Amino acid sequence: MANSMSFLILLCLVFAPFCLCHKKMGSYLYPQFYDYSCPQAQEIVKSILANAVAKEPRIAASLLRLHFHDCFVKGCDASILLDGNGGIISEKGSNPNRNSARGFEVIDEIKSALEKECPHTVSCADILSIAARDSTVLTGGPNWEVPLGRRDSLGASLSGSNNNIPAPNNTFQTILTKFKLQGLDIVDLVALSGSHTIGNSRCTSFRQRLYNQNGNGKPDFTLDQYYAAELRNNCPKSGGDQNLFYLDYVTPTKFDNNYFKNLLAYKGLLSSDEILLTKNEESAELVKLYAERNDIFFDQFAKSMIKMGNISPLTGSRGQIRTNCRVINT
């Protein structure tokens, strides 16, 4: 036991940039967690995910978003994957997730394959973390080593999902506060917002910008008027709530820094996007930097994803390794 603990501590020191140490628990997250217990784990995730993205490119953004929405509620513990049953009220019904959270079937497929390869070994929380990284890489984004060793929660938090996850119409300060409550800073906020370089958003998430931004019946003046006119074609004042629009209309399925270039042209789709440029000097400078330097954006995005993935993980004997990501083990 002593030798095993010494080995874990050594690993944590060697892989310090990627490793989260819980000294009190004697438990660690590190990239090599499954090297012996399930050496094929990451290849299995990547293979299934690659097929899913090839069939439907949008799924990459959906899985990246699932990881984000999971970590902001009780930490990165796969609580978002739980269906409602046995006293559990699912986070899938929260305002940020209802009618928009997706990709659960892909996680099910990955989990099923991993259970066949190495039963009761790889957590759903780690699957989400790996899938978020692979979704980024498969769409042309940066790569990073994912710290692993998370375990799965025994419950969900509908209120946490409703309250903790930033909303498209939140003020800059509200969004920054929600990030800071998770141990993330303004640099993480701007970098992680860059994930909107891929994926879609629903009309209902930005309609107010087109027609009634400040309750005065007028559109958002920080939205390019020609772009706004295009958006109004498929996002009417009423109806069409679920109509989809690219978050980055220039390269919607490629992970790059066009998202930030769009903000500089006042063509950020969501209010929560454009305010990174218009409401705070420090975040505006970061937007300009990332728009100019894709390499710096990629580097910071990877660092911020590792940091976000380290939010309050369950480790050691806490939680469990679910055999089905949708339900607690009986």
Side-chain angles (χ1 to χ4, degrees):
M1 180 66 181
N3 288 338
S4 173
M5 187 58 66
S6 297
F7 175 68
L8 286 174
I9 292 170
L10 179 62
L11 270 176
C12 202
L13 291 173
V14 172
F15 296 98
F18 312 102
C19 184
L20 175 70
C21 304
H22 296 281
K23 294 180 181 177
K24 291 181 181 177
M25 298 300 296
S27 305
Y28 307 89
L29 296 186
Y30 55 97
Q32 297 74 23
F33 189 84
Y34 296 111
D35 279 7
Y36 296 102
S37 61
C38 192
Q40 297 302 312
Q42 298 204 48
E43 279 304 314
I44 290 170
V45 176
K46 184 178 180 180
S47 174
I48 294 173
L49 189 53
N51 288 333
V53 171
K55 289 177 187 173
E56 185 196 3
R58 183 186 167 204
I59 205 69
S62 298
L63 291 171
L64 193 51
R65 185 172 183 259
L66 270 190
H67 181 47
F68 174 73
H69 281 209
D70 179 45
C71 290
F72 267 58
V73 183
K74 303 192 322 88
C76 307
D77 60 1
S79 61
I80 194 173
L81 302 179
L82 288 169
D83 287 337
N85 58 59
I88 290 174
I89 302 174
S90 177
E91 294 169 17
K92 296 174 183 178
S94 70
N95 291 329
N97 295 329
R98 189 171 57 250
N99 298 323
S100 65
R102 56 196 302 278
F104 300 107
E105 293 78 13
V106 178
I107 299 298
D108 291 340
E109 185 181 351
I110 293 170
K111 181 60 176 172
S112 178
L114 286 170
E115 284 299 309
K116 288 177 184 174
E117 176 71 19
C118 29
H120 317 299
T121 303
V122 183
S123 71
C124 302
D126 277 345
I127 291 172
L128 277 177
S129 300
I130 299 168
R133 187 271 313 277
D134 289 348
S135 293
T136 303
V137 174
L138 286 166
T139 50
N143 198 356
W144 63 90
E145 284 196 285
V146 180
L148 300 167
R150 300 167 190 80
R151 289 165 65 84
D152 301 323
S153 70
L154 300 173
S157 175
L158 181 64
S159 62
S161 187
N162 277 320
N163 297 323
N164 297 1
I165 297 170
N169 59 350
N170 280 162
T171 66
F172 179 86
Q173 194 53 53
T174 296
I175 294 172
L176 181 59
T177 297
K178 288 181 178 181
F179 268 72
K180 285 183 174 179
L181 287 172
Q182 305 298 337
L184 303 173
D185 59 26
I186 194 168
V187 176
D188 301 312
L189 165 56
V190 179
L192 292 173
S193 294
S195 63
H196 284 179
T197 181
I198 55 174
N200 302 70
S201 183
R202 298 174 297 155
C203 167
T204 186
S205 296
F206 62 87
R207 175 184 281 121
Q208 87 286 346
R209 296 193 74 200
L210 303 179
Y211 304 102
N212 189 28
Q213 175 69 354
N214 297 307
N216 57 5
K218 295 182 180 180
D220 186 348
F221 70 90
T222 68
L223 183 62
D224 178 86
Q225 60 176 323
Y226 298 106
Y227 183 46
E230 286 181 29
L231 295 173
R232 281 192 287 267
N233 287 332
N234 290 306
C235 186
K237 276 189 178 180
S238 62
D241 285 5
Q242 306 305 315
N243 291 352
L244 293 175
F245 297 77
Y246 293 128
L247 286 160
D248 168 11
Y249 72 96
V250 180
T251 50
T253 59
K254 181 174 173 55
F255 199 102
D256 57 25
N257 67 336
N258 270 321
Y259 165 81
F260 297 104
K261 294 177 181 179
N262 295 340
L263 298 188
L264 294 180
Y266 298 99
K267 293 181 179 179
L269 184 63
L270 306 178
S271 175
S272 56
D273 294 324
E274 199 61 54
I275 59 176
L276 298 178
L277 178 70
T278 61
K279 296 297 184 183
N280 182 276
E281 245 179 74
E282 188 178 351
S283 67
E285 288 305 310
L286 288 166
V287 167
K288 293 171 187 174
L289 175 64
Y290 298 155
E292 185 179 341
R293 294 285 302 274
N294 192 65
D295 58 329
I296 295 177
F297 163 50
F298 273 24
D299 182 62
Q300 185 56 54
F301 184 81
K303 289 176 181 174
S304 293
M305 284 295 291
I306 291 170
K307 192 173 172 183
M308 185 183 78
N310 284 348
I311 297 173
S312 305
L314 297 174
T315 57
S317 61
R318 297 183 299 159
Q320 62 180 207
I321 307 296
R322 290 187 220 137
T323 55
N324 177 342
C325 290
R326 294 175 181 262
V327 297
I328 304 298
N329 297 344
T330 54

